[in-house]
Amino acid sequence: MGRAFGKGNGIRGTVTAATPNSFTIRTDDGDTYQVLYSPNTRLMKDRQPIEATDVHVGDMLMAGGIVDSKAKTLGAVLVVDIDAKEVRDARAAFGKTWVMGKVTAIHELKITIERAGDKQAQILAVDENTSFRKRREDVTLADIKVGDTISAQGALHADTFLATNLRIMTPGSNPGQGRPNGPVAPEIPPPSH
């Protein structure tokens, strides 16, 4: 459902309307939610405070707060805005310079994942230059298990994605936390088909 901030505590989606005190968003699953905000809601972009007027149609919002699934509303405590151009650029780079998905197989130095969003299989290769992280700790290839969700930055070479940075994501974590400096791509979900 385009969840953010852990199960039941938030939603994520594209802004379709912005009015005083609320944003209307469409989740990746096609649901429409009203994100209600107040003067006490923390509005952020690029880790800096923003005003509600800085949020535009086409931007992506990750909102944390109290979700009412029946009423399709969220009383927001925190709203994180990602610019529409960044969303488009990150989605265009998905599978080419970054990827995210669930590990379905590991064979020597190759990891097969089911990509988030489009559910396609993609092979990731790792080598001696790949850095591995889980939370804030360095880990190794041996720490990756089938069923783990991972995100990786790197480059596509022929049919294989060579990962330079690979992160094991923990349930309920924000995919963008602890990422190396660079594009915000891991925070952007790929287009679902």
Side-chain angles (χ1 to χ4, degrees), residues 4-60:
F5 302 101
K7 188 171 183 170
N9 296 323
I11 55 175
R12 175 182 63 211
T14 304
V15 177
T16 59
T19 61
N21 303 317
S22 74
F23 303 108
T24 303
I25 65 169
R26 182 177 169 91
T27 69
D28 293 336
D29 294 337
D31 294 326
T32 299
Y33 274 79
Q34 290 295 121
V35 176
L36 308 170
Y37 64 89
S38 72
N40 295 323
T41 302
R42 193 168 166 202
L43 300 166
M44 305 290 291
K45 181 174 188 171
D46 297 326
R47 298 181 184 181
Q48 299 297 318
I50 61 169
E51 299 295 323
T53 54
D54 296 324
V55 177
H56 304 287
V57 170
D59 288 358
M60 174 169 290

Side-chain angles (χ1 to χ4, degrees), residues 81-160:
D81 178 43
I82 302 171
D83 184 74
K85 182 181 181 317
E86 289 181 48
V87 173
R88 282 191 307 275
D89 292 349
R91 285 185 171 160
F94 183 67
K96 299 171 190 149
T97 61
W98 75 280
V99 70
M100 180 170 42
K102 184 177 280 192
V103 176
T104 58
I106 302 170
H107 182 69
E108 296 179 3
L109 297 177
K110 294 195 176 181
I111 302 167
T112 305
I113 64 167
E114 179 183 272
R115 296 187 335 185
D118 64 13
K119 306 289 185 199
Q120 292 189 23
Q122 185 159 2
I123 297 173
L124 284 71
V126 298
D127 63 17
E128 67 278 359
N129 296 316
T130 304
S131 72
F132 299 88
R133 304 276 293 172
K134 183 172 185 178
R135 294 186 191 94
R136 297 179 187 266
E137 300 173 18
D138 289 329
V139 295
T140 67
L141 176 60
D143 294 304
I144 300 172
K145 308 290 183 228
V146 170
D148 284 345
T149 298
I150 62 173
S151 66
Q153 291 178 319
L156 190 61
H157 298 281
D159 291 335
T160 303

